[in-house]
Amino acid sequence: MSDKLLKRFEHLVHPLAQRMACLMLEKKSNLTLSADVDRMDDLLLLAKQLGPFITVLKTHIDCIEDFSFAQVQILKKLAHQHKFLIFE
């Protein structure tokens, strides 16, 4: 995240609010996807396909039938790669 963008949002007190505001400007989007799926493969597919276009992926991990921490690591990598936040 550039210092120029951070300076623009320095009035936002919480670092997460700053990060989200910067992401919205960088991606020219404020789109949040609420992923109501029950399989990790479906969640990862949504993250891969829609990650470039969203700023936040809202998950429902408690509804995932085949939850695994290994796949959460993949999801985190996708979030980093496509620059979106994960909200649980």
Side-chain angles (χ1 to χ4, degrees):
M1 189 174 348
S2 73
D3 290 339
K4 184 178 178 182
L5 283 176
L6 280 176
K7 182 133 179 86
R8 186 170 179 179
F9 296 110
E10 64 187 7
H11 67 282
L12 296 173
V13 179
H14 198 281
L16 185 57
Q18 290 177 348
R19 175 84 174 118
M20 187 178 296
C22 288
L23 279 175
M24 287 189 289
L25 275 181
E26 284 179 33
K27 295 182 102 171
K28 297 181 177 127
S29 171
N30 64 355
L31 188 61
T32 297
L33 171 65
S34 182
D36 296 328
V37 296
D38 55 8
R39 312 262 320 142
M40 280 302 290
D41 287 343
D42 295 333
L43 182 62
L44 294 175
L45 182 61
L46 285 172
K48 286 177 192 173
Q49 292 178 339
L50 301 176
F53 309 104
I54 62 173
T55 54
V56 178
L57 175 66
K58 184 177 180 307
T59 63
H60 299 281
I61 295 296
D62 56 323
C63 296
I64 301 288
E65 297 170 359
D66 61 344
F67 175 84
S68 78
F69 287 106
Q71 289 182 312
V72 169
Q73 294 305 314
I74 296 168
L75 181 61
K76 287 172 61 176
K77 287 179 185 177
L78 288 168
H80 180 73
Q81 175 186 351
H82 294 300
K83 296 182 180 179
F84 64 82
L85 300 174
I86 301 169
F87 179 77
E88 171 49 42

